[in-house]
Amino acid sequence: CAAATHSHDRPGSAVACSVAMSKQALMPGLPTHGASVRTALDAVYNWSYDSEVDELRSLYAKSLDMQWISERDLPWADGIDQARFAASFTLGGVPIQQTKFWGTLSPDTRWEVARRGAAFMLSNFLHGEQGALMVASQLVGAVPHMDAKFYAATQTLDEARHVEVFARYIEQLDRVHSIAPALKEVLDKTLMIDGWMFKCVGMQVVVEGLALY
């Protein structure tokens, strides 16, 4: 925290650090709704700050150029168009809107089914994004190249935004549901595994692949 007081490009760092320290006494141990997993990974310094992997440095620069802020850039005040949402969502990939049964339901019932079903499915996307956030933050310290550290830092910020947006969107629908045990196991193993290459595969291929599926 002392280093934060000397930051010129992050004027809020010292304040944020002081707030976090003042809250420590109020939050001993785990959060009320949380869990922990023990991890161990070597942190790697790199005293060479020149670019070594041009492709990663280019991706880092593009990420900086394309930053977005959910509070500013997304139309939260517009709410959710209930009719359009109910007409477009799926239950596990099943186009329920095409069934005769769906046509017999009232608009209010369709909205209830749509919002509750979507909140249940999106909750695990949200939990997966938190897992990706935690893994990306591990990679900042673990990867050997400075370009990779820069890029992992931008991905950490991206994942934080994903968590923020998913959580806020789900709250507009219903509530956040508990994480699926199978997903929790995958995230735990990805966080616990030693070696940054394995961790990259776990996050970019396994976890993200499950999200796409």
Side-chain angles (χ1 to χ4, degrees), residues 68-87:
W68 55 277
I69 301 174
S70 69
E71 184 66 35
R72 180 193 65 196
D73 298 331
L74 297 179
W76 294 110
D78 293 350
I80 298 174
D81 186 321
Q82 297 183 7
R84 291 183 61 185
F85 186 89

Side-chain angles (χ1 to χ4, degrees), residues 82 86 89 101-102 104-116:
Q82 297 183 7
F89 99 108
F101 169 75
W102 188 256
T104 66
L105 302 178
S106 68
D108 287 345
T109 301
R110 293 177 188 175
W111 166 241
E112 284 297 307
V113 173
R115 74 177 185 86
R116 292 174 184 268

Side-chain angles (χ1 to χ4, degrees), residues 33-44:
H33 303 287
S36 67
V37 55
R38 186 171 298 278
T39 65
L41 191 68
D42 291 338
V44 179

Side-chain angles (χ1 to χ4, degrees), residues 75-136:
W76 294 110
D78 293 350
I80 298 174
D81 186 321
Q82 297 183 7
R84 291 183 61 185
F85 186 89
S88 61
F89 99 108
T90 63
L91 286 175
V94 177
I96 191 173
Q97 298 89 345
Q98 298 178 18
T99 64
K100 293 181 179 179
F101 169 75
W102 188 256
T104 66
L105 302 178
S106 68
D108 287 345
T109 301
R110 293 177 188 175
W111 166 241
E112 284 297 307
V113 173
R115 74 177 185 86
R116 292 174 184 268
F120 176 79
M121 291 185 289
L122 290 176
S123 290
N124 279 295
F125 279 92
L126 168 62
H127 300 315
E129 294 294 347
Q130 182 183 174
L133 166 65
M134 294 166 70
V135 174

Side-chain angles (χ1 to χ4, degrees), residues 3-25:
T5 61
H6 300 291
S7 174
H8 298 289
D9 59 341
R10 293 179 181 270
S13 297
V15 175
C17 195
S18 298
V19 171
M21 292 178 65
S22 68
K23 296 293 185 181
Q24 285 181 355

